[in-house]
């Protein structure tokens, strides 16, 4: 028995983001990939179903693209990479991206040995050969492209059909990976284990698979691409950046230490639609070739446009999350991205829309409800009262609300398990609307002045706090800071914020408790 097999497998949850190119500063699209992964990670934590949780991210720092970007900034590649990689770390720390591993492909101690070991495995298993290669190379996509992946732009130049970036003809000696041998294996993986979400992206992959797969070049001559990992045993060649980058998922799992097997395969890999071919074809093929399991699931997300335009440097419309969060707060921006973004189609970012959504939902619907029931003129005793059901019998809408609250966790679960976070948020906001409407309907401001209504008043208030408690727990993966502030304010102890606590508490299942003293507005209105 190998060491790997002898390790007792405990239940693992391993989620990854793509690693980010360091040719430019992070934008909201990058933050979106990371927020989706973080949201799933926090959901998994909330569910408490796994013994170990890993969440890996990092930066993709090799290749011509980075080499050129560093030169354009008059910097040494390493110095340039350090700076941008650090800006990702800072952004993620500020944006509650709670990764456990941050992998840099220039990390010589961990990542280089992983890539070189992986390369040796492929060689030993006879999946690599040397050949003269000629083809159209797109530096921006870091990929050779076939004729069918090209188009002509307005200037009649050949460009990548998908990204629109220029290509150039390259003839060189390369190491090739026998991708053609893995056609059936990939098809089998897709059909059998059903890993692609949403389904529409499975169709995209099946389209690629209609044509026989061709072998791919997995190295570059060192004199053309020097900023890369050397091919083991051949200094004249460096490892192709995409192979280098994909192996990062193994590096974070501890590869090539045999103990890594306990961390493999990832349960979920979040990727944008532009990198589907690399993750849905090359990646499973590399893994199967090395005798490793492909990932259990790929969550493919669509892209953000800005004011209905593709986000690009040339259009000067790239949204810098660091700048906009000064206005919207980190949770505000994250709320917008997870609330407005749907996996199956592109989302549009506009300042007006962000402002409208944050103000309508976080400020008015959630924040004002909390402020209202905590305000001293309404909540004179500054408590979270018990919700006594028999006191609610007169109020029809309170029964509807209780029913909804009881159903909420299972509806939320269904939406989370299918990665439709926006639908889960929709449910929560719907319930908060009902709660606000209930306060209007019972005319709570009159009730508070009527001593004969004291018990009913407490029961209604108790129900509102119960709504805030349950929705606050469920909002933790979406807005980690705001939900914490909310739960702190209504005095829900830190060990009572998990999935099991999302059950609606019947009479007598909770005691009256004081409100905490920390009082401030949950979120300021965006102007
Ligand atoms: N370095 C590669 C990934 C290697 S993973 C082994 C790469 N990097 S990237 O920085 O260009 O993109 C990282 C992620 O950001 C991808 O998931 C990509 O889809 C996402 N986005 C880049 N632009 C985007 C939008 N405009 N909108 C949403 N996400 C976008 O690809």
């Amino acid at each position: 028995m190998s060491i790997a097999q002898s390790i007792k497998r405990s239940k693992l949850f391993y989620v990854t983001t793509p690693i980010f190119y360091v040719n430019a500063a992070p934008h909201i699209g990058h933050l979106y990939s990371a927020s989706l992964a973080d949201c799933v990670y926090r959901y998994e934590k909330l569910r408490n179903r796994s013994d170990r949780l890993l969440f890996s991210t990092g930066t993709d720092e090799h290749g011509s693209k980075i080499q050129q970007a560093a030169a354009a900034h008059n910097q040494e590649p390493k110095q340039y990479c350090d700076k941008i990689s650090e800006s990702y770390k800072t952004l993620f720390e500020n944006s509650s991206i709670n990764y456990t591993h941050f992998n840099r492909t220039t990390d010589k101690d961990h990542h280089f040995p992983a890539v070189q070991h992986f390369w040796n495995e492929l060689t030993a298993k006879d999946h690599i050969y040397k050949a003269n290669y000629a083809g159209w190379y797109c530096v921006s996509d870091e990929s050779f492209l076939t004729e069918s992946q090209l188009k002509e732009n307005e200037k009649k130049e050949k460009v990548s059909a998908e990204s629109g970036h220029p290509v150039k003809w390259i003839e060189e000696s390369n190491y090739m990976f026998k991708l053609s041998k893995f056609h059936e294996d990939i098809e089998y993986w897709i059909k059998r284990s059903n890993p692609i979400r949403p389904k529409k992206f499975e169709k995209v992959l099946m389209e690629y698979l209609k044509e026989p797969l061709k072998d791919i070049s997995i190295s570059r001559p060192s004199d053309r691409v020097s900023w890369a990992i050397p091919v083991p045993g051949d200094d004249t060649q460096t490892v192709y950046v995409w192979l280098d980058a994909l192996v990062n998922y193994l590096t974070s799992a501890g590869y090539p230490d045999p103990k890594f097997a306990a961390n493999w395969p990832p349960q979920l890999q979040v990727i944008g639609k532009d990198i589907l071919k690399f993750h849905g074809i090359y990646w499973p093929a590399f893994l199967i070739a090395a005798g490793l399991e492909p990932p259990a699931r790929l969550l493919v997300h669509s892209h953000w446009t800005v004011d209905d335009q593709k986000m690009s440097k040339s259009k000067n419309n790239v949204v810098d999350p660091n700048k906009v969060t000064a206005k919207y707060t980190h949770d505000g921006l994250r709320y917008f991205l997870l609330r407005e973004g749907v996996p199956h189609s592109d989302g549009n970012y506009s300042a007006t829309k962000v402002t409208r959504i944050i103000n309508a939902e976080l400020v008015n619907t959630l924040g004002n409800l909390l402020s209202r029931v905590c305000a001293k003129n309404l909540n004179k005793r500054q408590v979270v009262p018990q919700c006594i059901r028999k006191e609610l019998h007169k109020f029809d809408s309170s029964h509807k609300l209780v029913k909804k609250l009881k159903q909420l966790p299972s509806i939320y679960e269904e939406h989370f398990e299918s990665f439709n976070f926006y639908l889960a948020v929709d449910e929560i906001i719907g319930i908060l609307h009902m709660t606000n409407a209930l306060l209007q309907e019972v005319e709570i401001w009159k009730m508070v002045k009527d001593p004969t209504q004291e018990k009913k008043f407490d029961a209604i208030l108790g129900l509102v706090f119960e709504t805030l408690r349950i929705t606050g727990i469920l909002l933790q993966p979406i807005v980690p800071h705001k939900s914490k502030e909310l739960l702190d304010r209504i005095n829900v102890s830190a060990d009572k914020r998990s999935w099991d606590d999302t059950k609606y508490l019947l009479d007598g299942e909770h005691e009256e408790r004081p409100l905490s003293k920390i009082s401030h507005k949950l979120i300021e209105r965006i102007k």
Side-chain angles (χ1 to χ4, degrees):
M1 190 188 279
S2 71
I3 308 177
Q5 284 164 330
S6 67
I7 293 167
K8 196 172 158 284
R9 271 194 98 103
S10 55
K11 201 158 181 294
L12 162 79
F13 186 80
Y14 178 21
V15 59
T16 69
T17 75
I19 49 170
F20 301 91
Y21 283 132
V22 292
N23 60 321
H27 61 55
I28 50 158
H30 304 132
L31 181 61
Y32 182 54
S33 279
S35 304
L36 286 173
D38 184 77
C39 181
V40 176
Y41 177 73
R42 285 177 193 267
Y43 169 69
E44 216 40 56
K45 246 186 166 165
L46 180 74
R47 297 305 307 260
N48 203 12
R49 308 185 273 205
S50 311
D51 304 324
R52 275 167 327 116
L53 290 134
L54 301 184
F55 172 10
S56 103
T57 188
T59 40
D60 190 354
E61 306 185 10
H62 286 133
S64 338
K65 188 167 156 142
I66 312 299
Q67 216 172 292
Q68 289 173 6
H73 286 85
N74 264 331
Q75 284 180 20
E76 283 302 312
K78 181 68 169 72
Q79 184 193 9
Y80 182 72
C81 291
D82 285 350
K83 198 177 105 212
I84 309 262
S85 182
E86 203 47 47
S87 71
Y88 270 98
K89 274 196 172 161
T90 310
L91 173 69
F92 289 173
E93 263 140 46
N94 292 336
S95 310
S96 320
I97 307 296
N98 213 358
Y99 59 80
T100 57
H101 291 71
F102 190 100
N103 189 43
R104 296 184 57 182
T105 55
T106 49
D107 177 348
K108 290 208 163 94
D109 295 335
H110 301 100
H111 187 63
F112 275 50
V115 172
Q116 291 181 328
H117 190 273
F118 192 78
W119 182 283
N120 289 336
E121 285 284 299
L122 295 184
T123 308
K125 293 189 160 82
D126 194 27
H127 300 308
I128 294 182
Y129 62 97
K130 206 163 183 185
N132 287 322
Y133 195 83
W136 293 103
Y137 194 76
C138 175
V139 171
S140 184
D141 295 6
E142 289 287 17
S143 185
F144 275 110
L145 301 174
T146 59
E147 284 292 341
S148 65
Q149 293 170 313
L150 302 175
K151 65 175 185 187
E152 269 188 3
N153 65 9
E154 325 74 68
K155 296 184 208 149
K156 300 271 174 245
E157 295 157 344
K158 276 190 194 291
V159 293
S160 155
E162 207 172 304
S163 68
H165 292 295
V167 293
K168 66 176 182 205
W169 184 256
I170 282 181
E171 288 184 32
E172 58 192 26
S173 165
N174 282 172
Y175 285 98
M176 305 289 291
F177 170 70
K178 295 180 184 170
L179 181 66
S180 53
K181 281 203 312 196
F182 295 93
H183 196 120
E184 275 179 28
D185 288 302
I186 299 166
E187 230 163 33
Y188 184 81
W189 169 66
I190 296 174
K191 295 251 169 72
R192 191 56 197 264
S193 46
N194 190 18
I196 315 294
R197 296 289 183 285
K199 276 287 196 191
K200 82 178 243 199
F201 293 110
E202 180 183 307
K203 290 203 192 95
V204 178
L205 282 184
M206 295 318 283
E207 268 308 300
Y208 285 126
L209 291 168
K210 275 192 181 152
E211 304 257 311
L213 290 174
K214 294 203 181 78
D215 294 348
I216 52 163
S217 149
I218 50 163
S219 74
R220 304 288 179 257
S222 319
D223 52 10
R224 183 164 76 82
V225 187
S226 58
W227 185 241
I229 300 180
V231 163
D234 183 353
D235 280 352
T236 68
Q237 294 275 319
T238 53
V239 177
Y240 172 41
V241 273
W242 266 102
L243 175 57
D244 169 349
L246 288 163
V247 170
N248 105 84
Y249 302 128
L250 285 162
T251 310
S252 289
Y255 187 87
D257 183 326
K259 287 196 208 116
F260 97 94
N263 294 337
W264 200 258
Q267 273 62 50
L268 183 72
Q269 302 211 263
V270 176
I271 57 164
K273 63 179 183 179
D274 53 322
I275 52 176
L276 177 59
K277 181 181 71 188
F278 300 99
H279 285 81
I281 308 256
Y282 297 179
W283 180 222
F286 288 149
L287 287 170
I288 295 166
L292 298 170
E293 234 179 290
R297 190 141 292 168
L298 292 183
L299 168 60
V300 189
H301 66 76
S302 300
H303 277 187
W304 285 97
T305 54
V306 174
D307 298 324
D308 294 314
Q309 302 253 355
K310 195 175 164 179
M311 199 172 13
S312 78
K313 255 200 219 151
S314 56
K315 292 203 175 80
N316 199 19
N317 65 350
V318 176
V319 181
D320 174 351
N322 289 312
K323 284 204 183 122
V324 296
T325 47
K327 180 167 180 189
Y328 304 132
T329 72
H330 287 284
D331 267 22
L333 177 64
R334 178 175 164 126
Y335 182 79
F336 172 79
L337 295 175
L338 296 174
R339 167 73 169 128
E340 259 304 286
V342 297
H344 45 271
S345 47
D346 288 353
N348 183 45
Y349 178 98
S350 83
T352 329
K353 194 151 67 165
V354 186
T355 306
R356 182 168 49 74
I357 289 181
I358 297 179
N359 281 346
E361 301 187 349
L362 289 182
V363 179
N364 291 350
T365 309
L366 177 64
N368 286 355
L369 180 65
L370 177 70
S371 310
R372 215 167 164 190
V373 290
C374 291
K376 290 212 170 100
N377 57 357
L378 196 74
N379 191 336
K380 297 203 167 94
R381 296 192 292 125
Q382 289 292 286
V383 291
V384 175
Q386 268 193 337
C387 174
I388 307 293
R389 212 171 3 162
K390 71 175 192 332
E391 299 296 340
L392 293 174
H393 70 272
K394 252 182 59 190
F395 309 114
D396 229 15
S397 21
S398 73
H399 301 301
K400 285 194 196 123
L401 177 58
V402 170
K403 196 169 157 208
K404 275 280 197 187
L405 267 183
K406 285 182 179 167
Q407 291 165 342
L408 179 62
S410 67
I411 295 175
Y412 173 100
E413 175 181 38
E414 195 187 310
H415 295 320
F416 257 74
E417 302 284 336
S418 51
F419 309 110
N420 289 317
F421 311 123
Y422 71 106
L423 292 176
V425 178
D426 239 9
E427 279 300 315
I428 291 176
I429 295 297
I431 285 182
L432 293 170
H433 276 310
M434 284 175 78
T435 317
N436 276 307
L438 175 69
L439 291 181
Q440 289 300 114
E441 186 194 315
V442 303
E443 301 187 303
I444 198 78
W445 60 94
K446 285 191 187 156
M447 258 181 146
V448 67
K449 293 184 188 143
D450 181 352
T452 64
Q453 301 267 321
E454 200 181 318
K455 282 195 176 144
K456 287 194 176 51
F457 173 83
D458 273 358
I460 294 281
L461 220 57
L463 175 57
V464 175
F465 279 112
E466 192 52 2
T467 312
L468 287 169
R469 186 186 68 82
I470 295 172
T471 53
I473 293 174
L474 294 175
L475 278 171
Q476 292 176 106
I478 307 283
V479 276
H481 280 293
K482 294 295 151 201
S483 53
K484 180 179 180 304
E485 286 169 23
L486 161 69
L487 295 169
D488 285 350
R489 176 74 173 120
I490 64 174
N491 207 356
V492 175
S493 64
D495 60 344
K496 291 272 180 291
R497 297 179 184 186
S498 75
W499 185 251
D500 291 342
D501 303 304
T502 56
K503 214 176 103 220
Y504 174 75
L505 294 177
L506 297 170
D507 306 356
E509 283 183 345
H510 66 116
E511 300 282 303
E512 178 172 292
R513 59 182 190 277
L515 277 177
S516 84
K517 300 245 175 323
I518 356 145
S519 99
H520 68 274
K521 256 205 170 138
L522 196 64
I523 180 161
E524 293 294 334
R525 168 167 297 279
I526 313 290
K527 300 221 174 61

